[in-house]
Amino acid sequence: MEKKTDYKINENGSFCKEETIRTTLEDGLVPEREIKPAALSGETRGKYHVGYSTTKTYSTNDPRITWPFVAVFCGIFLLIGIITLLLHLWFFAAAFIGIAIFGFVKANKDIDAIADKLKKQGKDVTIDSKEELNEVVTDVTDKMKTSFQEVGQETFTQAHMKHFTKKTLPIYCFFTLVVSAALGAAVHVALGILVFLVLAVGGALYYFLILKLLPKLFHK
C-alpha cells in the first residue's frame, strides 16, 4: 500500500492537506479504515479490501472554506428537520434539527478558535470581496475536479476493470440464476423469466459501462 501526503501552508496561515492512498493486488487484505480515513468508524469496521484502489482525501482549516461548508451542511440537516416536522415525524424532526443546531454551534466554536489564532498573526480569515469569493470557490472546485480525474484515471483502466470483472462476473451470474430459478419455482415461471431478463440486461449494461465507457471517459 502506498501513501502520499501533500501538505501546504496557505497565504493566510491556514493549511491544506491532500492524502492519496493506493492499493494493489500485492497488498492482499487491507482494512478499509486504512484506505478510507475520512469515513465513519462504523462504516469501515470489520471490512477489508482486496485489489486495486485509489483514494484521495482533502482537508483544511481555512475558515474561508470551513465556515461555508458547515453552514451548508447544517442547513441541509435543518431543512430536512423542518420537512419532517411538517410531516409530523417528530422523532426524525428532533434528530435532524438537534444535529443541525449542535453541529453548527460546535463547528463554529472550533472555527472561531482557529480564526482568532490566525487573526492574532495578522492573517486574513474572511472573504471581503466577490473576487476573493470566486478565487476560493475556483480553488476548491479545481482541487475536486483534479482529484476526481486522477482517481478515475487510476481506477478505470482496462487491466483493473478486467480483474474486477473476472472476480465478480461469476458471482453475479450465479446470483442471477439462483434468484430467477427460485422465483420461478416458488411463484411462477413467468416471474422467474422476467427477473432473469432484468438481471441479465442490467448486468450486461453495468459491465459494458465499467469495461468500455468509463475507461474511455477517463482516458481521452
Side-chain angles (χ1 to χ4, degrees):
M1 184 172 66
E2 176 191 356
K3 286 187 178 182
K4 179 183 177 182
T5 302
D6 293 324
Y7 195 89
K8 174 187 175 184
I9 301 297
N10 300 319
E11 292 182 1
N12 67 350
S14 62
F15 74 82
C16 290
K17 185 175 75 171
E18 184 176 336
E19 186 175 51
T20 304
I21 303 174
R22 297 182 178 90
T23 64
T24 64
L25 285 172
E26 289 72 21
D27 296 319
L29 287 172
V30 180
E32 281 203 2
R33 66 177 179 275
E34 295 186 15
I35 61 177
K36 296 181 179 179
L40 299 176
S41 60
E43 296 179 7
T44 58
R45 185 183 297 116
K47 296 180 181 180
Y48 294 84
H49 173 82
V50 178
Y52 301 98
S53 71
T54 300
T55 304
K56 280 184 175 288
T57 56
Y58 172 77
S59 59
T60 182
N61 67 344
D62 190 342
R64 299 176 304 168
I65 298 175
T66 54
W67 192 90
F69 176 82
V70 168
V72 171
F73 185 80
C74 292
I76 293 173
F77 268 73
L78 182 61
L79 178 61
I80 295 174
I82 293 173
I83 293 174
T84 52
L85 181 63
L86 295 175
L87 294 174
H88 298 168
L89 300 173
W90 312 118
F91 175 79
F92 292 103
F96 278 104
I97 292 175
I99 292 173
I101 294 174
F102 175 79
F104 187 79
V105 173
K106 177 66 170 61
N108 270 278
K109 183 179 179 180
D110 296 338
I111 294 172
D112 288 342
I114 295 171
D116 291 340
K117 182 179 179 180
L118 294 175
K119 284 179 181 178
K120 291 178 181 179
Q121 301 173 9
K123 304 296 184 180
D124 178 23
V125 295
T126 59
I127 297 177
D128 304 314
S129 65
K130 184 177 180 180
E131 290 72 19
E132 186 176 4
L133 174 62
N134 291 335
E135 180 182 341
V136 171
V137 171
T138 300
D139 182 57
V140 173
T141 53
D142 285 347
K143 282 185 172 66
M144 293 176 63
K145 289 178 181 178
T146 301
S147 297
F148 178 76
Q149 187 67 26
E150 289 179 0
V151 170
Q153 287 177 347
E154 294 185 21
T155 302
F156 296 106
T157 65
Q158 290 291 348
H160 293 179
M161 292 301 97
K162 284 182 179 179
H163 169 75
F164 174 78
T165 302
K166 181 180 178 182
K167 295 295 183 180
T168 61
L169 185 57
I171 298 174
Y172 185 80
C173 291
F174 177 76
F175 170 81
T176 299
L177 290 173
V178 169
V179 171
S180 302
L183 289 174
V187 183
H188 197 280
V189 175
L191 177 62
I193 294 175
L194 177 62
V195 171
F196 174 80
L197 291 175
V198 170
L199 291 176
V201 172
L205 291 174
Y206 173 76
Y207 283 103
F208 175 76
L209 176 68
I210 65 171
L211 281 172
K212 300 295 182 181
L213 296 185
L214 289 179
K216 289 183 179 179
L217 176 64
F218 287 102
H219 296 274
K220 292 181 180 179

